[in-house]
Amino acid sequence: MKKIVYMGTPNYAKEILQVLIDDEAISLPLVLSQPDRKAGRKGELKAPEVKILAEAHGLQILQPEKLSDEGVFEAIVEANPDFIVVAAFGQLLPKKILDIAPCINLHASLLPQYRGASPVQQSLLNGDDFTGITAMLMEEGLDSGPILGYRYFKIPPTMLLPELMRRLSDDACALTLDIIHHFETLAPIEQNQALATHCKKIKKSDGLVDFFNASKFYDKYRAFEGWPGIFVEGGMKIKEVSLLETETQNSMGEILELKEASIVVACAKGSLEIGLLQPASKKAVSAKAYCVGRGLKVGSSLL
């Protein structure tokens, strides 16, 4: 029976925790997650997905603001883990915790590419053909430790962030069990530091788009589906976007066609089909209804 201390917070991490719970050869004496945070318009406290799952299975859980908080190190030592498994936990592990047991991180990129907080969004923003999961032996640096294993796949060109996260979660679950059960036979491979790239935490303002390049516009739509979404100056949100073509040269934001419910809009390079528009502080409506309601026709500017 392998004893694992698990650290994680969002849904991606919850899925990995579930497969650890389901594995009869694994015990989980301790789970750590981020503290409950305020969410939504009412600002009510919301528990992390990992906490909800851990409590449902009667697992001991800690939610420290920092891993240096009093009692955290002692609780991990008392759990006497064979491994510490980390997935989207949101905190760097201090050396004294790294020294307790092998610490395995499941990072949602093909390291050394996209170290940091938003690797999945970054792969979509860059229009990458491939992405995947890396199992890494953690050290004090940010996502810089030796590689234990990969799972990778080709990204379908119309795949949006939520669907990509589901695929990555599935692969992370399988890779986690594979690494744990075959750890003794693995030979960690050092990352090529010269190829490392980094990505930052996504901010709401990152969702701002323009109609300069249809391909870049669509990449942002794919990367920010769900949150923060995409919007133009003035705050109007744009939803249900399809990339039509990337070569024609046009006037930015010009309405090229009104369809049954959607509209075709020009970019300086390329064109897009838009299904829904949501003006600031209002409900979303079909893009055509929005245009008809404001007297916008083919040749008018959406901006």
Side-chain angles (χ1 to χ4, degrees):
M1 182 73 72
K2 292 181 170 67
K3 290 194 292 184
I4 292 175
V5 167
Y6 184 71
M7 301 182 183
T9 298
N11 191 63
Y12 164 74
K14 182 198 77 173
E15 298 299 327
I16 298 171
L17 176 58
Q18 184 66 66
V19 298
L20 296 175
I21 291 170
D22 293 341
D23 192 314
E24 295 181 354
I26 290 172
S27 67
L28 290 152
L30 181 63
V31 174
L32 291 91
S33 190
Q34 290 284 338
D36 296 2
R37 305 291 190 194
K38 291 182 179 180
R41 292 182 178 180
K42 295 182 179 179
E44 296 177 346
L45 284 177
K46 182 179 180 181
E49 297 282 350
V50 163
K51 175 188 178 181
I52 294 170
L53 179 60
E55 289 186 336
H57 288 270
L59 301 176
Q60 180 185 356
I61 184 158
L62 295 177
Q63 294 178 269
E65 283 286 351
K66 297 180 180 178
L67 288 171
S68 58
D69 288 354
E70 183 177 354
V72 175
F73 170 75
E74 291 77 9
I76 298 173
V77 170
E78 185 178 349
N80 191 28
D82 296 300
F83 301 100
I84 297 172
V85 176
V86 182
F89 181 58
Q91 296 185 38
L92 290 175
L93 273 60
K95 187 176 187 305
K96 67 177 185 177
I97 290 179
L98 292 169
D99 289 341
I100 294 173
C103 297
I104 302 167
N105 179 250
L106 283 304
H107 187 74
S109 80
L110 300 175
L111 290 171
Q113 190 178 42
Y114 306 144
R115 296 174 179 175
S118 58
V120 186
Q121 292 93 332
Q122 201 63 50
S123 68
L124 292 173
L125 286 172
N126 288 344
D128 292 345
D129 290 327
F130 291 88
T131 190
I133 297 292
T134 304
M136 171 192 66
L137 195 60
M138 297 177 73
E139 58 182 27
E140 288 187 87
L142 177 63
D143 300 327
S144 59
I147 304 303
L148 297 169
Y150 287 108
R151 289 236 171 173
Y152 70 95
F153 60 92
K154 186 173 178 63
I155 308 171
T158 58
M159 181 176 274
L160 307 184
L161 179 65
E163 186 181 356
L164 180 55
M165 283 303 312
R166 285 193 292 271
R167 171 62 193 270
L168 289 167
S169 295
D170 290 344
D171 282 3
C173 290
L175 183 59
T176 300
L177 295 181
D178 190 41
I179 296 297
I180 289 170
H181 291 308
H182 299 93
F183 184 82
E184 292 76 13
T185 66
L186 300 176
I189 301 172
E190 294 294 330
Q191 294 187 40
N192 185 339
Q193 307 297 336
L195 298 178
T197 60
H198 295 79
C199 52
K200 299 179 180 179
K201 187 175 180 179
I202 301 298
K203 306 187 298 291
K204 186 174 181 179
S205 59
D206 292 329
L208 180 66
V209 292
D210 57 37
F211 288 92
F212 183 74
N213 184 297
S215 181
K216 294 297 183 183
F217 187 110
Y218 187 62
D219 287 340
K220 268 200 170 187
Y221 166 68
R222 296 170 68 205
F224 298 149
E225 172 69 6
W227 193 90
I230 58 169
F231 50 88
V232 292
E233 289 284 357
M236 183 169 67
K237 297 179 181 179
I238 299 175
K239 303 179 180 183
E240 296 186 2
V241 178
S242 298
L243 178 63
L244 297 182
E245 51 83 24
T246 61
E247 297 302 323
T248 62
Q249 296 184 2
N250 312 286
S251 298
M252 290 197 301
E254 180 183 348
I255 298 171
L256 300 178
E257 183 180 353
L258 297 175
K259 295 193 170 184
E260 184 175 346
S262 61
I263 61 173
V264 176
V265 181
C267 295
K269 186 175 182 181
S271 59
L272 305 153
E273 184 172 347
I274 297 172
L276 289 177
L277 294 170
Q278 184 176 1
S281 304
K282 295 184 179 180
K283 293 183 178 181
V285 296
S286 76
K288 182 177 180 180
Y290 173 86
C291 292
V292 170
R294 285 157 180 77
L296 301 177
K297 303 176 181 180
V298 172
S300 300
S301 175
L302 184 64
L303 300 175

